[in-house]
Amino acid sequence: MIRVLIPTDADFEYKKCKKMYKKYQRLVGDNQEFRDLVKNTFFYSFYDDAQLLGCIYYYTKNDKLFVNAFANRHTHEKNLLCLKKTFEWFKCDIYAETKHKTAIYCLYKCGFKKIDDCLYKLER
């Protein structure tokens, strides 16, 4: 069963999430300090049993809602489920920016369409 935690949850594993972020930060294309990322976004961590699958975070930019994520390798199908679940929490269009081929593939599988160079949109 997949479990979702947010930073205010008592059992949120800040250090594990930070370590994973640092590992994939370059691929995610985000230059923020992890503490700022957690503080300034809608941040969710996802677990399958006790194993951290990955994290998804939403933020606003130019009055638009953007999504970004990082996750352990070899958990693609579970990550898709997690990402799709988060779409239920927002009623507006969702945007994503990426150059990473695996992320692009994931976005397409979730219904995003390319609207510009490295910019994708899920219409709601």
Side-chain angles (χ1 to χ4, degrees), residues 9-21:
D9 289 329
D11 49 351
F12 178 75
E13 296 182 300
Y14 182 92
K15 289 181 181 179
K16 280 187 179 181
C17 294
K18 180 179 179 179
K19 183 178 179 181
M20 184 182 287
Y21 175 70

Side-chain angles (χ1 to χ4, degrees), residues 21 24-32 37 41-44 46 54-61 65-71 83 86-87 94-100 103-104 106-107 112:
Y21 175 70
Y24 296 112
Q25 184 175 9
R26 202 182 97 219
L27 293 174
V28 171
D30 202 326
N31 295 323
Q32 293 186 68
L37 180 79
T41 68
F42 299 105
F43 192 92
Y44 309 96
F46 292 84
C55 301
I56 299 172
Y57 56 99
Y58 286 84
Y59 59 96
T60 56
K61 178 177 159 184
L65 185 67
F66 280 79
V67 64
N68 210 347
F70 52 93
L83 186 57
T86 67
F87 297 158
I94 301 171
Y95 295 81
E97 292 180 296
T98 187
K99 295 178 182 180
H100 194 286
I104 293 168
C106 183
L107 292 172
F112 280 76

